[in-house]
Amino acid sequence: MFNPRNPRFKNMKRMKPRIAVFKYSCCAGCEFQLIFFQKHLLETLKAVDVVYCKMLKSGGVEAGPFDVALIEGAITEEWQASQLKKIREASRYLIPIGSCAVCGGIPAIKNSTDELDVEKRVYADTAFLHSVTAAPIDHYVKVDGYVKGCPMGERDLDELVISLLLGKKPVFLEYCVCVECKLRGAICVLVAYGEPCMGPVTNAGCGALCPVNNRACYSCWGPMRDANAKALADQFLKMGLRKEDIFRKFTEFGQPTDEFKPGALT
Amino acid sequence: MKINPGNPLLPLRAVVLHKTRETENTFSLKLSLPDTRPVTFQPGQFNMLGIPGIGEAALSFSSLPIGKRSFVHTIRLAGNVTEALSRVSKGDRVHVRGPFGNGWPVQQAKGKNVVIVAGGIGMAPLRPVVYYLLQNRKSFGKLLLLYGVRSEEDILYRDELEDWLKSGEIKVLLSMDEKPRKGILGARQGVVTTLLDAIDVPLADTVTFTCGPEIMMRFVARQLIIRGQGGNRIFVSLERRMKCGTAHCGHCQIGAKYVCKDGPVFAYADIKRFADTLL
Amino acid sequence: MKDAQGEGYLLARDDLFDWTDTLLRDFAVQGPVLKKKGQTVFERIDDPSSLQLDYCSTMLAPRNFIYPQRQEFLHIQRSSGQTRVVTPAPAARNILFAIHPCDMHAITVLDRIFSRDSWDFSYNKARHETITVVLNCAKACDQGFCSSMGTGPFLKIKDGYDVEITPVDRAYVMEFGSRRGRDLIRKAANLRRITGADLSQKKRVEKKAEASFTKFLDTKGLPELLARTLNHSVYKVTADTRCLNCTNCTMVCPTCYCYNTEDLTRFDLKQVERKRHWDSCQELNFARVHGGNFRSSREARLRQFVTHKLCTWVEQYGCVGCIGCGRCMTWCPTGIDLTEMAKEIQRDWSPAEKR
């Protein structure tokens, strides 16, 4: 990941990678997951220099430069977008962490409702609000990979940290939950038990946590690249699900994504 | 050097003897195996070079065997493994498994004219063919090397090309996407297929070896067939994702062919019948 | 060996459990066990009564006991590059018990892949140390069409397996395909040699089983036909409207062998585990190289699955890659049926050829 030939940050070559963590609209669970990186926290902190992370320490250098900026949360206000662009400028690598940052996640559920209605439902006085449609990070800036999950998954996080330490480009999982499910030998809950499982269209990384426990996947990792959401939605219809339920399944996580739109519109 | 026939997934450790920078994004590694068994391989075959913790990549030989135990790989920066290989230096060790695959069918070309069409990094696996042809010059008819590059900076093995050109044993023609400066190996502007007009030998009595981007090989092969060459006399070298080199991992399959076992060199007519190529 | 009269044995139905009990003392017996909602899985049994011998088909074929889903095969010291081969856990005491003839056949197909041209150390080690006990099928599975593929309902191969069991009236005909199998059978009490009458009874069961099939595939000329029809619309239509890319078909297929490797570096950065896990041609990145993907469309990936199983496999290994177990269609969430796709192509092309 740290290409020594990259001229831009030449003088930083021998230094510990400088990490910054920024939080936008989300539950802060991913940042917590980072700090709660139980098994490897000590090794990681020895090897990297966390220069900005509100949950870890006060203060910090907000302006950068950073080797890696980790962004959690969706963009739901204008100021967030402009700050994000500045962070992008100041960072070599910018990686969204967790479903909200990767694909809109929970905050993006509001996108299906009129923005004013959403504001009114939550706040008595909406005069001071400048909220916008919730969007993932890559809607505003170029990103260098995604650590998916809700909260972000351990496998991809491990891969990110190890890649940082080894100086390689991380290889994140891009296949669906079904792969992990079968690799664990779990019975397919969609086929065998008729559960409306979102596994076939959902990105892997969780180790098929729900299907392994005989529960349908609800897509908290967000969509897999090239997912065929329409075909799965059609199958749900055949199984007797109502259209509203199918809509909810495809907008619970990943509302703004192109992959899930055809499913939600079924 | 057939490594560990009992377990072809087990690599040997080779020592880096020499590292040369070829172009902006290519470099050559001269490797040596600390093993008493002599190294044998054919031009066109490949090794899996590996860096522990990063992975392995399939890379063609860019030389004939040097001495008993050494060989050269010319490598273009592409992914994690090649990046990591670019960071090794003299004396370091890298993992080697191989040789895998078949080679260029130079025996089939005996007594015939040989046209070599290379594009970009495709020159690397063809260099040992040129070496072989020149070493056994009398066994072959006329030799032509057509080499297409993007710009002057992308020319591989420039000194050697000039030597070959001077020797007169092989006709060397160069094409460049950019307008070339004067005097660079007589390069002309255009893609490599524009050089096919310069082929001055009867194609019916010719064997063609080509390596480069798959879309380039498509145009080369189709034009040669239009000009009268048989599809089974045109040989292409293909690149696919490879993990094992032993026809087990399944990634490199094109129809019924494994690029790692049946290739990487194929007769154009034999591989064109399958789906999922650009040929 | 199995056909030589008098070389087999007859074991009374009730004695089979005693025999299994005997085997449990010396072996790890991996047998079919009934799970929630009628699903059967292969797992280690410690009580013969948990065996579910009257099972249709498991989701995963028992191939994972020989070729596990995930496997570390090399351990590397990162600084020195020194390697150590990770030997698979000793399988010497493993018995695959009561596997169906199709699954046994599939294992012999995998044998060709992993040992013919080059030798896969881990696979072959586990394969040679695993004892296989085949149970012939008295009736067809719902989705099975093994009779069309020549892999069932009774064992059709002459070697590669150890024991062949056939359920007949109130007894089992026990035959063997290896010396190891014969020794295994002889551990049973109350054996008696089979007679001609037993063999003709076995024949009757086989006839009855063969008559129970509802699913067929005409494989005559199919490989050639599929090779000619690579651009048939069935691939695109099915891929667009039904295929989810979920990889279920290839994960449950007993002859699928593709794997991917990855290097897992431990956090001390000193040790590297080189691992492999089952991979699938239905996965988006399966054929990706630097700068391109040779099967970026779902259509191409689906075609790869169908044509590989029914067409190109023949050129590669001299046999069809499909053993007719029906798992890919059973476990496809949208019910894509390999035989229906083949039949659609046959319907479209056969009349034209007759003309």
Side-chain angles (χ1 to χ4, degrees):
Chain A
M1 199 160 181
F2 294 99
N3 183 350
R5 283 186 322 282
N6 190 331
R8 199 165 150 206
F9 295 84
K10 221 172 202 169
N11 52 348
M12 287 164 63
K13 200 162 72 180
R14 296 270 163 221
M15 286 161 59
K16 287 187 196 175
R18 290 159 59 92
I19 312 276
V21 188
F22 289 89
K23 174 193 174 299
Y24 296 119
S25 301
C26 62
C27 71
C30 294
E31 204 166 333
F32 188 72
Q33 172 90 336
L34 197 69
I35 290 158
F36 198 60
F37 194 34
Q38 311 104 318
K39 282 182 243 165
H40 315 299
L41 181 66
L42 289 176
E43 295 114 302
T44 311
L45 285 181
K46 245 183 259 167
V48 302
D49 197 359
V50 180
V51 292
Y52 184 87
C53 178
K54 279 264 175 72
M55 196 185 273
L56 197 64
K57 58 181 188 188
S58 53
V61 200
E62 206 178 314
F66 314 117
D67 286 300
V68 179
L70 303 174
I71 315 288
E72 77 166 336
I75 301 295
T76 57
E77 285 188 87
E78 275 168 28
W79 70 269
Q80 297 173 334
S82 45
Q83 190 193 34
L84 181 65
K85 282 170 190 163
K86 279 185 200 135
I87 297 168
R88 174 71 267 190
E89 285 293 305
S91 320
R92 248 162 113 185
Y93 298 102
L94 184 142
I95 293 174
I97 55 174
S99 284
C100 302
V102 170
C103 57
I106 297 288
I109 294 177
K110 73 162 184 169
N111 292 0
S112 309
T113 316
D114 191 66
E115 191 65 39
L116 278 177
D117 289 349
V118 178
E119 289 184 359
K120 271 187 219 147
R121 203 186 294 181
V122 183
Y123 296 97
D125 180 10
T126 59
F128 64 95
L129 276 181
H130 301 283
S131 76
V132 294
T133 311
I137 300 305
D138 61 5
H139 186 80
Y140 291 98
V141 294
K142 188 183 152 288
V143 300
D144 305 289
Y146 304 89
V147 180
K148 297 182 180 182
C150 184
M152 62 170 162
E154 205 167 315
R155 189 266 169 208
D156 281 354
L157 184 56
D158 283 2
E159 173 70 15
L160 178 70
V161 174
I162 285 285
S163 300
L164 211 60
L165 302 180
L166 289 182
K168 76 177 182 77
K169 195 167 170 285
V171 182
F172 297 122
L173 300 182
E174 277 200 319
Y175 46 71
C176 65
V177 173
C178 301
V179 177
E180 287 186 320
C181 187
K182 298 297 144 329
L183 287 181
R184 290 186 67 171
I187 298 280
C188 177
V189 297
L190 177 57
V191 174
Y193 312 136
E195 298 277 347
C197 181
M198 292 284 280
V201 293
T202 304
N203 205 89
C206 59
L209 190 60
C210 292
V212 162
N213 291 297
N214 289 319
R215 195 180 173 289
C217 166
Y218 60 99
S219 193
C220 67
W221 244 248
M224 163 186 73
R225 247 178 81 195
D226 200 36
N228 195 349
K230 179 80 175 79
L232 186 63
D234 286 345
Q235 184 63 24
F236 285 164
L237 271 182
K238 269 189 213 153
M239 287 160 58
L241 262 73
R242 293 178 309 155
K243 287 199 170 182
E244 307 90 273
D245 293 333
I246 295 173
F247 178 81
R248 267 182 223 120
K249 278 189 163 298
F250 283 95
T251 51
E252 190 176 356
F253 293 87
Q255 192 278 342
T257 61
D258 290 338
E259 283 92 345
F260 274 5
K261 254 175 210 149
L265 293 175
T266 295
Chain B
M1 99 179 141
K2 201 68 199 173
I3 293 166
N4 293 302
N7 187 357
L9 294 178
L10 182 65
L12 288 181
R13 287 181 300 158
V15 181
V16 178
L17 293 184
H18 198 67
K19 187 169 141 193
T20 333
R21 185 156 171 168
E22 303 283 357
T23 71
E24 175 69 30
N25 61 356
T26 34
F27 60 97
S28 291
L29 291 182
K30 185 175 175 187
L31 303 173
S32 178
L33 281 172
D35 192 41
T36 45
R37 285 171 297 177
V39 168
T40 54
F41 58 85
Q42 303 300 316
Q45 285 192 296
F46 68 93
N47 268 335
M48 299 293 290
L49 293 194
I51 298 282
I54 311 288
E56 294 183 305
L59 293 156
S60 288
F61 289 100
S62 312
S63 72
L64 295 171
I66 303 166
K68 277 207 171 82
R69 291 196 290 273
S70 304
F71 47 88
V72 174
H73 286 286
T74 298
I75 302 159
R76 183 180 58 177
L77 293 177
N80 269 333
V81 179
T82 49
E83 281 277 353
L85 284 169
S86 76
R87 272 177 257 156
V88 302
S89 39
K90 192 176 167 177
D92 286 353
R93 283 162 193 272
V94 296
H95 279 175
V96 179
R97 295 194 291 124
F100 296 116
N102 61 8
W104 298 100
V106 279
Q107 299 304 324
Q108 275 192 48
K110 286 237 161 103
K112 298 196 174 65
N113 306 310
V114 181
V115 174
I116 295 171
V117 188
I121 187 72
M123 188 62 225
L126 284 166
R127 183 168 73 159
V129 179
V130 179
Y131 288 163
Y132 182 87
L133 297 177
L134 293 178
Q135 274 178 20
N136 303 276
R137 184 66 192 85
K138 290 204 183 80
S139 312
F140 301 95
K142 279 194 174 174
L143 307 180
L144 262 87
L145 171 61
L146 315 180
Y147 183 24
V149 291
R150 210 170 285 166
S151 68
E152 191 183 333
E153 289 74 43
D154 295 323
I155 303 174
L156 283 178
Y157 318 129
R158 198 160 152 182
D159 297 345
E160 280 174 283
L161 289 173
E162 271 162 15
D163 288 348
W164 294 340
L165 191 65
K166 269 183 224 146
S167 74
E169 302 279 4
I170 179 168
K171 193 168 166 182
V172 181
L173 293 169
L174 195 73
S175 78
M176 222 177 264
D177 292 0
E178 286 176 6
K179 194 170 178 357
R181 286 192 297 128
K182 261 210 174 129
I184 300 168
L185 294 149
R188 60 171 89 166
Q189 192 177 7
V191 291
V192 74
T193 41
T194 57
L195 299 175
L196 296 177
D197 293 328
I199 298 177
D200 52 358
V201 292
L203 280 173
D205 204 24
T206 299
V207 171
T208 301
F209 298 142
T210 177
C211 184
E214 214 156 297
I215 197 80
M216 177 209 98
M217 293 192 279
R218 168 202 181 96
F219 284 109
V220 168
R222 290 182 175 204
Q223 290 216 18
L224 288 174
I225 287 171
I226 291 171
R227 286 155 201 250
Q229 189 164 27
N232 50 1
R233 288 276 181 79
I234 302 170
F235 293 91
V236 296
S237 178
L238 301 182
E239 183 205 2
R240 284 295 182 277
R241 189 161 171 218
M242 283 179 200
K243 288 289 177 182
C244 66
T246 57
H248 291 160
C249 82
H251 285 87
C252 68
Q253 284 178 95
I254 301 174
K257 300 290 182 188
Y258 288 93
V259 174
C260 68
K261 172 173 74 87
D262 309 310
V265 178
F266 293 98
Y268 178 73
D270 193 29
I271 198 70
K272 209 199 123 21
R273 60 197 167 108
F274 299 115
D276 308 327
T277 70
L278 301 176
L279 295 172
Chain C
M1 210 185 304
K2 69 174 194 174
D3 288 326
Q5 199 176 349
E7 272 286 39
Y9 297 89
L10 198 76
L11 187 67
R13 252 199 199 193
D14 297 338
D15 290 338
L16 187 86
F17 290 99
D18 292 339
W19 179 54
T20 320
D21 220 12
T22 319
L23 298 183
L24 279 174
R25 268 181 243 145
D26 299 327
F27 299 96
V29 179
Q30 317 285 351
V33 175
L34 190 66
K35 293 279 168 180
K36 191 180 142 184
K37 295 193 188 170
Q39 294 299 326
T40 314
V41 297
F42 274 95
E43 63 178 32
R44 184 168 179 174
I45 56 162
D46 38 41
D47 177 8
S49 64
S50 61
L51 276 176
Q52 172 74 19
L53 290 181
D54 183 24
Y55 71 105
C56 173
S57 156
T58 53
M59 183 186 79
L60 288 187
R63 72 168 162 150
N64 59 324
F65 293 100
I66 297 171
Y67 176 38
Q69 288 104 318
R70 291 180 193 275
Q71 190 172 31
E72 180 186 351
F73 62 92
L74 208 60
H75 193 95
I76 308 170
Q77 293 281 344
R78 195 167 149 262
S79 51
S80 66
Q82 220 126 39
T83 51
R84 173 170 62 77
V85 176
V86 178
T87 315
R93 313 229 69 86
N94 246 359
I95 295 182
L96 292 186
F97 194 80
I99 59 176
H100 282 164
C102 56
D103 290 342
M104 185 64 238
H105 196 98
I107 292 172
T108 63
V109 172
L110 289 180
D111 289 347
R112 296 187 197 207
I113 289 150
F114 285 124
S115 55
R116 201 185 60 182
D117 294 319
S118 49
W119 190 257
D120 188 273
F121 176 75
S122 312
Y123 174 87
N124 285 297
K125 187 167 187 303
R127 169 73 172 109
H128 287 282
E129 290 172 351
T130 304
I131 299 171
T132 46
V133 178
V134 183
L135 176 69
N136 282 329
C137 298
K139 65 172 186 347
C141 312
D142 310 336
Q143 299 268 42
F145 52 104
C146 53
S147 64
S148 304
M149 310 309 287
T151 58
F154 275 36
L155 202 59
K156 298 281 196 289
I157 43 176
K158 298 272 177 270
D159 51 18
Y161 67 98
D162 295 303
V163 178
E164 176 191 2
I165 303 177
T166 312
V168 292
D169 189 27
R170 271 170 293 168
Y172 290 101
V173 172
M174 316 272 281
E175 289 158 294
F176 50 87
S178 70
R179 191 177 298 261
R180 190 165 64 170
R182 188 186 63 193
D183 295 345
L184 204 70
I185 295 177
R186 286 186 179 165
K187 285 179 189 284
N190 306 328
L191 284 176
R192 79 161 165 79
R193 295 245 160 177
I194 45 168
T195 61
D198 296 325
L199 283 177
S200 44
Q201 205 191 352
K202 181 187 165 192
K203 208 89 206 149
R204 277 200 298 280
V205 178
E206 185 172 6
K207 280 258 152 29
K208 209 175 149 204
E210 261 164 15
S212 66
F213 279 88
T214 52
K215 208 176 180 92
F216 304 95
L217 181 66
D218 181 10
T219 56
K220 194 165 163 285
L222 186 60
E224 296 79 12
L225 178 65
L226 291 178
R228 280 203 310 278
T229 51
L230 292 173
N231 293 318
H232 194 281
S233 60
V234 69
Y235 299 123
K236 178 149 179 58
V237 172
T238 314
D240 284 352
T241 58
R242 293 168 74 192
C243 180
L244 300 168
N245 265 168
C246 68
T247 74
N248 267 8
C249 47
T250 49
M251 288 288 164
V252 300
C253 178
T255 63
C256 270
Y257 55 91
C258 292
Y259 66 76
N260 198 357
T261 61
E262 58 181 344
D263 275 15
L264 288 182
T265 311
R266 294 197 191 151
F267 271 83
D268 60 8
L269 302 186
K270 289 181 185 135
Q271 313 284 323
V272 178
E273 296 164 17
R274 186 160 289 171
K275 289 186 164 182
R276 68 179 180 191
H277 59 85
W278 293 356
D279 204 353
S280 165
C281 55
Q282 301 307 296
E283 200 220 298
L284 177 65
N285 291 331
F286 188 79
R288 200 181 72 178
V289 295
H290 177 74
N293 186 341
F294 288 99
R295 279 194 280 277
S296 58
S297 77
R298 206 176 292 124
E299 173 196 359
R301 297 196 287 276
L302 184 64
R303 174 179 53 209
Q304 168 65 17
F305 174 65
V306 176
T307 55
H308 191 211
K309 291 291 168 197
L310 296 175
C311 166
T312 50
W313 206 293
V314 180
E315 191 179 328
Q316 288 173 327
Y317 299 108
C319 63
V320 184
C322 173
I323 47 107
C325 66
R327 282 188 178 91
C328 56
M329 44 209 83
T330 306
W331 294 98
C332 177
T334 59
I336 297 173
D337 190 324
L338 182 76
T339 62
E340 286 304 323
M341 292 176 75
K343 282 173 195 164
E344 189 171 334
I345 296 174
Q346 282 171 330
R347 269 197 299 276
D348 284 356
W349 281 79
S350 301
E353 276 166 10
K354 275 179 203 145
R355 270 202 295 271

